[in-house]
Amino acid sequence: MNILENVSNHRPILIQGAMENEIDVLIAALQNLEAVTIHGFEFYSGLVSDTPVVISRTHIGKINATMATLIGIENFHPSFVINQGTAGAHNINLNTGDIVLGKQIINMDAPDLDIKALLAGIDKKTSEPLNVELQKDGNWDWTYALSSSEELSSLFQSVPYSHGILYEGTIASGDGWTQTKEGVRKLHERYGSDCEEMESFAVAQVCEQSGLPYVVLRIISNSNLQGTTFDERTAGLCQNFVIDVLKNHPAMIQK
């Protein structure tokens, strides 16, 4: 039986990570593991505590995340999407190992660009991130901020997490990576961002337009403001927390 047939009886949960070390613990936890590659993107099906899941490696960046999410939705018909992984802190009060649940996910691309060719049609003096055109409930509109499902966020908040705080906040998502303390402070002051990464806004946009519930969470792996460097152990902590949530809420699966 191939991977697509395995998930046909129940709608699985699609769980995403961009890098190999953001999905390896999840893959190791799968029972009845099967793997398939579709248009270059890797998917791993199996069970976690009798719950059907499909683990997806989106690879890095918003375009890759868009493609991986669309392929995952069209081939596996998930009940909802969990987008998880690591992030750099924008909030100086967040420490390595803390987890941010995306109450708000913002598109942080394109503020303050100085390259004239890229500035066409963009007001670099605006305090808003770049809006995207989004279709929801049959209507097209412009937005730069999306939100995780309140119901799914509540489920995650109901499960104990012992390696830091679990915090509902704002995740900034873009195709760049802020390397300076000045840049991090500027983004935090402007947008109230708590951390940044490179995939979740794209995932949220695809899910919104597909009418599919989703939750975004990111574990703090480093903080320029605190002078800490990337801690690779954090990716495993985040995955283990997702596994704990699945084990504590088996009713999350939908037929």
Side-chain angles (χ1 to χ4, degrees):
M1 183 179 293
N2 66 36
I3 188 173
L4 300 182
E5 292 171 340
N6 274 350
V7 299
S8 62
N9 294 328
H10 295 279
R11 296 178 65 191
I13 298 167
L14 181 63
I15 308 176
Q16 301 173 313
M19 299 184 293
E20 185 176 356
N21 73 332
E22 292 178 338
I23 60 169
D24 56 354
V25 173
L26 287 161
I27 293 171
L30 289 178
Q31 302 169 349
N32 304 330
L33 169 66
E34 292 196 27
V36 67
T37 300
I38 305 174
H39 299 306
F41 291 92
E42 306 97 320
F43 297 89
Y44 306 85
S45 77
L47 301 173
V48 175
S49 293
D50 297 323
T51 297
V53 299
V54 174
I55 311 303
S56 164
R57 183 178 177 188
T58 67
H59 292 265
I60 295 170
K62 291 199 297 183
I63 293 177
N64 279 332
T66 299
M67 293 178 65
T69 305
L70 283 169
I71 292 168
I73 291 172
E74 291 178 355
N75 285 278
F76 305 107
H77 312 290
S79 55
F80 60 89
V81 175
I82 299 173
N83 180 262
Q84 58 83 48
T86 56
H90 281 189
N91 183 337
I92 196 168
N93 295 315
L94 291 176
N95 301 306
T96 298
D98 292 341
I99 290 179
V100 180
L101 278 170
K103 185 172 185 178
Q104 186 171 235
I105 303 107
I106 64 170
N107 180 28
M108 73 175 189
D109 281 329
D112 292 333
L113 291 173
D114 291 321
I115 304 172
K116 290 182 179 180
L118 294 177
L119 280 173
I122 298 173
D123 179 5
K124 74 170 184 174
K125 297 178 182 179
T126 181
S127 62
E128 303 294 334
L130 181 66
N131 282 309
V132 299
E133 193 176 16
L134 173 72
Q135 187 277 134
K136 187 175 181 181
D137 299 326
N139 299 306
W140 286 91
D141 204 350
W142 293 90
T143 187
Y144 68 84
L146 300 170
S147 300
S148 297
S149 159
E150 291 184 8
E151 181 179 4
L152 292 175
S153 292
S154 295
L155 288 176
F156 275 79
Q157 291 177 78
S158 71
V159 175
Y161 175 65
S162 60
H163 298 283
I165 65 170
L166 188 62
Y167 174 80
E168 258 198 317
T170 298
I171 298 172
S173 185
D175 277 315
W177 189 250
T178 310
Q179 297 291 326
T180 66
K181 290 183 178 180
E182 179 185 4
V184 168
R185 289 193 189 100
K186 188 174 185 180
L187 288 164
H188 176 68
E189 289 169 2
R190 272 194 178 178
Y191 312 134
S193 52
D194 293 298
C195 63
E196 73 169 80
E197 48 72 56
M198 301 177 69
E199 295 83 30
S200 65
F201 187 86
V203 173
Q205 184 177 358
V206 171
C207 290
E208 289 277 358
Q209 296 201 184
S210 302
L212 190 65
Y214 62 93
V215 61
V216 173
L217 63 152
R218 285 295 186 277
I219 191 166
I220 301 302
S221 59
N222 63 284
S223 173
N224 285 342
L225 298 176
Q226 293 186 4
T228 58
T229 57
F230 180 77
D231 186 341
E232 62 182 19
R233 296 172 297 176
T234 55
L237 295 178
C238 191
Q239 293 171 78
N240 278 318
F241 177 59
V242 171
I243 292 168
D244 287 342
V245 173
L246 295 177
K247 290 180 177 178
N248 278 273
H249 293 287
M252 290 172 75
I253 187 65
Q254 300 175 23
K255 292 183 179 180

